[in-house]
Amino acid sequence: MYDVIVLGKGPAGIQAAVYIKRANLNVLIIGKDGGALAKTDKVGNYYGFTQISGPELLEEGYKHARALNIEMIEEEVTGLSFGLEYTVTTTQNTYQSKAVIIATGSPRATVRIPNLKELEGRGVSYCAICDAFFYRKKIVGVLGHGDYAAQEAHELVNVADEVIVFTNGLEPIGHFDPKVRFVKDRIKNVVGQDRLQGITLENDQVIELSGLFIALGSASATDLALKIGALVENNKIIVDEKKQTNVPGLFAAGDCTPGVMQIAKAVGDGCVAGLESIAYIRNLK
Ligand SMILES: Cc1cc2nc3c(=O)[nH]c(=O)nc-3n(C[C@H](O)[C@H](O)[C@H](O)COP(=O)(O)OP(=O)(O)OC[C@H]3O[C@@H](n4cnc5c(N)ncnc54)[C@H](O)[C@@H]3O)c2cc1C
């Protein structure tokens, strides 16, 4: 069991872990790739570097983590839950900790399908592990095509009568359960007024559904936050001045929280979240 698991190995995540490790706590960083910095050609506005490329700055961060012997693994996080402790699920493993910092960068834009937003919480869900039970013996859909969608579908296959995976025009690339059915046509709109009734495909075919689980791309910061009941507004995780969410022991830092999307801010957030998670752990003892 770790004291703190940091989700994301960008500037916010690494900075948080540096403080946690130096406080002699047991920390694990899980990140799936280089995040925003990997896409950044030149950085000229970050303290101490007149000019540096994003990948170079990223490597400096990794070097710092390695020098402190911080455990850092490259896996994709697909789930987050909270019982007596936090459980982080990746495509390969499950990890436990007493606190979690979400630092997985800017949540991607949500998919724009007419009527989808209106039916959130009324048939449209972002968390299979939380809501699968409500769809026992029903027909449900999962919107997505990668490992995150596969994981959500996996939670549903043993509970629902049928699980249809809507890849919205893409080829399925996740490791899907053989029991799922794929529909590759794009979704035109979501059907239902007070509750979801189904979806209409671009060819005007209507498919009746009791539930539709959104699992596009990888699990974003807000997907993970919503799974655990943390407040999300305008696609950002709501935190207080301690970078603490409304869920005890759950912190968030960097681009996934409100404010400017800059490295300096991500590092500052990581510092606060790191220090506050240390205080939280010490209070538990
Ligand atoms: C093209 C471009 C140019 C930019 N130029 C500048 C600049 O000049 N100056 C500046 O200050 N800022 C710049 N930025 C912004 C800056 O890169 C970000 O503000 C900063 O990287 C945010 O840090 P972060 O740690 O919050 O997120 P990120 O750096 O995005 O890191 C997110 C981490 O989360 C991980 N992750 C995400 N989802 C999952 C998952 N499901 N499972 C596991 N891991 C996951 C990623 O792999 C990554 O490790 C630029 C951004 C872009 C895209």
Side-chain angles (χ1 to χ4, degrees):
M1 153 104 78
Y2 293 93
D3 289 311
V4 187
I5 297 179
V6 179
L7 311 183
K9 54 183 180 132
I14 301 254
Q15 184 65 70
V18 163
Y19 278 93
I20 298 163
K21 182 73 180 189
R22 285 168 54 94
N24 210 21
L25 295 184
N26 195 3
V27 59
L28 170 70
I29 304 178
I30 309 176
K32 71 177 171 66
D33 55 26
L37 270 189
K39 302 179 196 114
T40 308
D41 184 18
K42 286 184 194 130
V43 176
N45 55 6
Y46 183 57
Y47 174 80
F49 294 92
T50 311
Q51 189 164 296
I52 187 165
S53 77
E56 276 170 335
L57 187 56
L58 204 54
E59 189 47 42
E60 290 299 323
Y62 296 165
K63 254 198 254 168
H64 195 168
R66 282 196 294 267
L68 288 169
N69 286 324
I70 294 173
E71 199 178 336
M72 184 162 62
I73 55 170
E74 194 156 309
E75 289 180 15
E76 181 182 328
V77 177
T78 54
L80 177 62
S81 60
F82 181 51
L84 286 176
E85 67 254 350
Y86 283 91
T87 301
V88 176
T89 313
T90 70
T91 42
Q92 289 107 306
N93 290 302
T94 309
Y95 304 92
Q96 258 88 35
S97 65
K98 297 173 193 160
V100 164
I101 299 174
I102 302 180
T104 52
S106 177
R108 49 161 172 60
T110 48
V111 64
R112 288 210 183 98
I113 297 177
N115 210 22
L116 182 78
K117 185 115 198 83
E118 286 74 5
L119 292 173
E120 277 177 3
R122 289 181 291 149
V124 172
S125 170
Y126 289 83
C127 181
I129 203 161
C130 321
D131 294 344
F133 182 75
F134 302 121
Y135 298 95
R136 294 183 310 280
K137 308 264 176 246
K138 305 253 166 81
I139 301 175
V140 296
V142 173
L143 177 58
H145 77 298
D147 271 328
Y148 178 40
Q151 180 72 37
E152 292 292 88
H154 180 73
E155 294 293 340
L156 292 159
V157 280
N158 295 318
V159 180
D161 212 24
E162 186 182 7
V163 178
I164 307 170
V165 174
F166 296 94
T167 65
N168 218 23
L170 299 168
E171 279 303 313
I173 54 167
H175 298 87
F176 284 93
D177 190 292
K179 291 199 274 289
V180 307
R181 171 158 79 94
F182 291 105
V183 171
K184 294 185 192 164
D185 309 68
R186 288 183 179 280
I187 297 179
K188 189 159 99 182
N189 66 280
V190 172
V191 185
Q193 282 196 331
D194 299 329
R195 246 209 102 67
L196 174 89
Q197 290 174 335
I199 54 96
T200 311
L201 297 174
E202 264 185 349
N203 62 10
D204 285 330
Q205 184 193 353
V206 175
I207 298 182
E208 288 185 12
L209 298 170
S210 300
L212 179 63
F213 290 79
I214 313 303
L216 293 152
S218 306
S220 72
T222 52
D223 290 330
L224 296 171
L226 287 168
K227 282 182 192 307
I228 209 161
L231 293 174
V232 167
E233 217 174 273
N234 296 327
N235 219 17
K236 298 278 177 176
I237 302 172
I238 301 303
V239 285
D240 63 14
E241 70 283 359
K242 294 179 174 178
K243 305 298 162 200
Q244 200 164 243
T245 69
N246 56 309
V247 181
L250 181 68
F251 299 81
D255 281 6
C256 63
T257 62
V260 290
M261 298 213 293
Q262 288 286 286
I263 303 159
K265 188 258 186 187
V267 166
D269 281 3
C271 159
V272 176
L275 290 172
E276 293 299 338
S277 68
I278 295 164
Y280 175 83
I281 297 291
R282 287 186 178 152
N283 251 335
L284 292 177
K285 287 179 179 165

